[in-house]
Amino acid sequence: KMIKMIKKICYILVIVSLLAFNIPKNLFPKIEKEVKESLNISTFSLVEVKIPSELNLNLPLKISSESFFSIENKQQLKGYLYYGQAKGKSAFFDFIVIFDKDLIISKIKILTYRESYGGEIGSMRWLKQFIGLSPKSSALYKNNIAAISGATISASALTIEVNKLLKSIDILIQNHLLI
């Protein structure tokens, strides 16, 4: 019974830490599951990464306190989480990028896709192309990221967003804000 109680308390702490951010509440269980699986941890907390506004103005992708977090377990850095949106043909879709502690992509997940076509970008088979990319890498649609028939706009949009994220993280590293 004690273990169940501890698990419930940890779950509540994770939810409370997530509630502090502007990620839609209905996405918390998906995010929690993906972080736990991707980084092989059972409990964690998200800590916002603060970026000086003057530096953020020069990033290819603006990173807010609601979009980029360090993932910590027992006050030890385990990785990073980016929550973002990309524009499909007519609607935005939500996605996360999970990085390990060395800022190598370990997982990308489409959380909510709102269009009737192009949902193939949510397939693990296609998304695993991004795994292993680092801030020194480039994600280039139809180059090192394969095209998807029927999802051209969404697949291209996600690839562009991930590429801007990688470039932004590289700038943060150069400015000694990460690692």
Side-chain angles (χ1 to χ4, degrees):
K1 289 187 176 188
M2 185 65 155
I3 292 174
K4 283 186 178 181
M5 177 70 107
I6 292 171
K7 283 184 177 181
K8 284 183 182 180
I9 291 170
C10 288
Y11 183 75
I12 290 168
L13 288 174
V14 168
I15 295 300
V16 169
S17 72
L18 288 171
L19 288 173
F21 312 114
N22 285 337
I23 297 171
K25 291 177 189 173
N26 65 319
L27 299 180
F28 296 157
K30 287 181 182 179
I31 292 171
E32 180 183 29
K33 176 183 175 275
E34 296 302 329
V35 168
K36 286 180 175 181
E37 285 178 8
S38 177
L39 299 177
N40 197 24
I41 53 178
S42 58
T43 61
F44 65 91
S45 58
L46 295 178
V47 178
E48 70 180 70
V49 175
K50 295 184 194 266
I51 298 164
S53 55
E54 62 279 359
L55 178 59
N56 207 352
L57 291 172
N58 296 314
L59 294 178
L61 183 70
K62 304 307 174 245
I63 298 176
S64 73
S65 60
E66 292 94 23
S67 65
F68 193 59
F69 313 94
S70 62
I71 301 167
E72 297 181 10
N73 175 282
K74 298 178 184 171
Q75 297 182 335
Q76 286 191 327
L77 177 66
K78 297 297 181 181
Y80 295 90
L81 172 82
Y82 174 76
Y83 164 77
Q85 293 187 320
K87 179 97 165 67
K89 186 174 183 178
S90 61
F92 283 91
F93 57 92
D94 304 321
F95 67 95
I96 57 171
V97 180
I98 300 171
F99 295 89
D100 66 16
K101 65 183 177 188
D102 297 318
L103 289 160
I104 307 297
I105 295 177
S106 62
K107 178 98 180 214
I108 291 190
K109 177 80 173 175
I110 305 300
L111 298 173
T112 307
Y113 194 77
R114 297 175 180 89
E115 299 195 61
S116 52
Y117 295 102
E120 298 88 352
I121 68 162
S123 80
M124 282 182 24
R125 184 175 174 196
W126 186 76
L127 290 171
K128 71 181 180 181
Q129 298 176 90
F130 294 94
I131 295 173
L133 294 179
S134 73
K136 295 290 183 200
S137 306
S138 291
L140 303 170
Y141 190 65
K142 293 185 179 179
N143 186 336
N144 63 335
I145 303 298
I148 300 180
S149 179
T152 304
I153 294 170
S154 298
S156 176
L158 180 64
T159 304
I160 289 167
E161 290 300 306
V162 169
N163 198 45
K164 290 192 300 189
L165 175 62
L166 292 171
K167 288 180 179 183
S168 296
I169 288 174
D170 191 39
I171 292 168
L172 296 176
I173 291 169
Q174 291 172 29
N175 283 273
H176 309 291
L177 291 171
L178 299 175
I179 303 186

